[in-house]
Amino acid sequence: MKSGLTPAFRMLKLTYGTYLKRRYHMKGEGIEKVIPYKGPAIVFGNHTHTLDPFFISALYPYTIRWVAGSYLFKMKGVSFLLRHLVRAIPKIQGRSDLETIRSISAALKKGDIVGLFPEGTRSWDGEMMDITAATAKLVRIFKVPVIFVHIEGGFLNKPRWSDTERKGPVSIKVTEVLTPERIASMSLSEITKVVEDNLTFSTDKWEEQARIPYPSDKGAERIERLFYMCPSCHAISTMESSGNTVRCTKCSYSADLDEYGRIHTTRGEFTKLSEWHEWEKGELSKLIDENDGELFSDHCILFQTPGKKKLEDVSTSFSVSATRNELTFVFPSAVNIRGNVTDKLVIPVSSIESLVINAKQTIEFYSDGKQYRFRVDENRSPLKYQELWLLVRERSIE
């Protein structure tokens, strides 16, 4: 069975797909390249926006079954759409999931087209995140056509750290189709290079050529979720945003964000979001090496653990602090965590097997095989916890 447009997808394209194309002034380029490949096939895309799967599906001529984060299947309305209309394939983010690989394989054997984002999660600063090493291996294993797609303008339309959209278009560009015949003649290193060359996307480089404005009167609001460290005083969690400006509450350092996604800082040391972000990651790395004590702390608004049927709220007001060795959760009164009544939970960073940031800036992690979720205040950065864990893990591997 080849993957044409199923009745459910046809309905979605005529309704929601049409809405998306109008709302985001969507345009497609190179779509004609995929016409011969009705399925089985794989679609790879860069991940910039929460609506990326729908953006691509709105313009793509055939049905795509998207691999989606398993946490989305726990949301009632979204879960129904994913299971019955999109027929999505669940994936536990940040963890090796052989069941997902089996599901993708089964879908391809049926002649379906499967879509996924090799980054595994959305970009925080508009630049491509690491492509998982397994991507090239999957290309070789499945031996089906691989379509590479760039989503252009998605990040600037609504950055991951933002709660509001800007006005500006989104475009879908098919960059390459890798046929099974080509795949069979290539080494794994050659496949890896093709994947990186055709999937890598830089918002900064694209915008330098496109020069498309994405105006908003709230362009910088919540950017402190990305910028967790002040470039001037090096304080953490002191950045505060309003309108198109972000400033440090400790030393008054400030930066403005323009409609092209560029920043204009007090001292002019950064012009790109990625430059500030790379700088603070480097400084956090130094702190980990030099400081045994507390690196940062936050007030939190949600702590959850799995219950018998769904996630259960343990607390909605508590604090978390981080050192290079531990995450410490302190609750104002005793709470029940997996049958243990306590007012304090200490998680060794070395015990954390995976840590990802899901919807609503929620941090989900597994420690010693057990799942936990917590959410910091909306004007604080969840990203620094993920980057702390990644940096500590790198040191343990070296």
Side-chain angles (χ1 to χ4, degrees):
M1 175 182 175
K2 300 297 181 182
S3 292
L5 282 179
T6 64
F9 262 82
R10 193 179 300 277
M11 180 183 71
L12 280 174
K13 285 178 74 72
L14 289 174
T15 54
Y16 190 53
T18 299
Y19 164 77
L20 289 177
K21 287 187 281 188
R22 290 176 178 174
R23 177 179 174 84
Y24 296 97
H25 306 284
M26 293 183 62
K27 294 180 180 179
E29 181 180 340
I31 304 297
E32 69 282 354
K33 295 178 183 178
V34 310
I35 299 300
Y37 308 103
K38 294 184 178 181
I42 293 175
V43 175
F44 283 147
N46 60 309
H47 207 359
T48 63
H49 195 289
T50 53
L51 297 179
D52 284 344
F54 298 101
F55 287 153
I56 296 175
S57 292
L59 294 178
Y60 206 85
Y62 311 121
T63 300
I64 302 177
R65 294 188 61 187
W66 288 98
V67 175
S70 60
Y71 70 93
L72 295 172
F73 289 80
K74 299 173 184 176
M75 302 166 68
K76 290 184 179 179
V78 175
S79 176
F80 178 84
L81 291 173
L82 290 174
R83 294 181 188 278
H84 300 287
L85 290 181
V86 180
R87 295 189 301 137
I89 298 170
K91 170 71 174 74
I92 300 177
Q93 289 180 293
R95 308 196 80 193
S96 176
D97 193 349
L98 292 177
E99 188 59 36
T100 302
I101 302 299
R102 295 190 187 102
S103 297
I104 293 173
S105 180
L108 294 173
K109 288 178 180 178
K110 291 179 182 178
D112 291 340
I113 298 172
V114 177
L116 61 155
F117 302 100
E119 293 168 272
T121 188
R122 286 176 289 145
S123 171
W124 280 90
D125 57 19
E127 300 306 288
M128 195 81 178
M129 301 181 72
D130 290 339
I131 301 171
T132 60
T135 303
K137 293 180 181 179
L138 290 179
V139 170
R140 166 165 280 183
I141 291 171
F142 291 134
K143 300 177 182 178
V144 299
V146 178
I147 293 89
F148 295 93
V149 177
H150 280 172
I151 301 170
E152 302 174 341
F155 177 81
L156 291 175
N157 182 274
K158 188 181 180 182
R160 181 170 182 174
W161 41 263
S162 179
D163 291 334
T164 58
E165 288 188 335
R166 292 96 173 95
K167 295 179 180 178
V170 174
S171 299
I172 305 300
K173 180 180 180 180
V174 176
T175 61
E176 179 67 277
V177 176
L178 189 58
T179 65
E181 293 75 21
R182 284 184 61 194
I183 294 170
S185 67
M186 299 169 69
S187 66
L188 189 60
S189 60
E190 289 173 332
I191 295 173
T192 299
K193 187 175 187 309
V194 170
V195 169
E196 292 176 348
D197 289 348
N198 288 283
L199 195 55
T200 300
F201 180 82
S202 166
T203 295
D204 287 334
K205 291 180 179 178
W206 173 78
E207 180 63 350
E208 285 175 0
Q209 296 180 341
R211 296 299 295 167
I212 298 174
Y214 290 77
S216 171
D217 57 2
K218 298 180 180 180
E221 292 192 2
R222 298 293 177 255
I223 201 171
E224 61 268 37
R225 292 170 178 167
L226 169 64
F227 295 154
Y228 51 79
M229 184 179 292
C230 173
S232 179
C233 66
H234 292 204
I236 297 179
S237 297
T238 59
M239 303 306 297
E240 186 177 85
S241 63
S242 178
N244 289 311
T245 300
V246 59
R247 59 175 50 86
C248 177
T249 56
K250 184 176 181 180
C251 72
S252 298
Y253 176 92
S254 68
D256 296 316
L257 186 68
D258 69 22
E259 60 189 3
Y260 297 99
R262 297 291 183 174
I263 52 175
H264 306 272
T265 65
T266 301
R267 300 182 304 194
E269 70 274 58
F270 305 128
T271 60
K272 303 173 183 177
L273 305 186
S274 58
E275 292 174 342
W276 188 330
H277 184 206
E278 285 301 312
W279 169 81
E280 66 183 356
K281 280 198 294 184
E283 291 302 309
L284 180 58
S285 181
K286 293 177 185 177
L287 282 177
I288 292 172
D289 290 334
E290 299 168 358
N291 193 340
D292 286 327
E294 181 182 296
L295 299 173
F296 46 80
S297 63
D298 285 301
H299 178 262
C300 298
I301 57 175
L302 183 67
F303 191 95
Q304 295 178 319
T305 57
K308 292 182 179 180
K309 294 184 178 181
K310 63 179 182 178
L311 291 167
E312 294 183 349
D313 293 355
V314 173
S315 178
T316 56
S317 181
F318 59 99
S319 66
V320 60
S321 61
T323 69
R324 67 184 183 189
N325 297 315
E326 297 174 339
L327 294 182
T328 301
F329 300 88
V330 178
F331 305 95
S333 58
V335 295
N336 190 325
I337 302 178
R338 301 181 180 277
N340 181 32
V341 178
T342 182
D343 60 0
K344 185 177 181 180
L345 176 66
V346 179
I347 301 290
V349 175
S350 61
S351 74
I352 298 177
E353 300 146 16
S354 68
L355 190 152
V356 297
I357 303 170
N358 289 330
K360 299 181 180 179
Q361 312 294 323
T362 302
I363 300 167
E364 178 178 288
F365 67 93
Y366 284 80
S367 171
D368 294 330
K370 298 176 182 179
Q371 181 188 17
Y372 302 89
R373 301 175 87 231
F374 72 98
R375 190 182 304 158
V376 297
D377 280 346
E378 64 177 10
N379 63 340
R380 290 293 177 258
S381 171
L383 182 59
K384 61 182 181 286
Y385 292 93
Q386 185 180 53
E387 295 190 337
L388 167 66
W389 172 70
L390 289 171
L391 288 166
V392 171
R393 187 178 66 165
E394 286 177 7
R395 284 158 171 74
S396 66
I397 294 174
E398 292 174 353

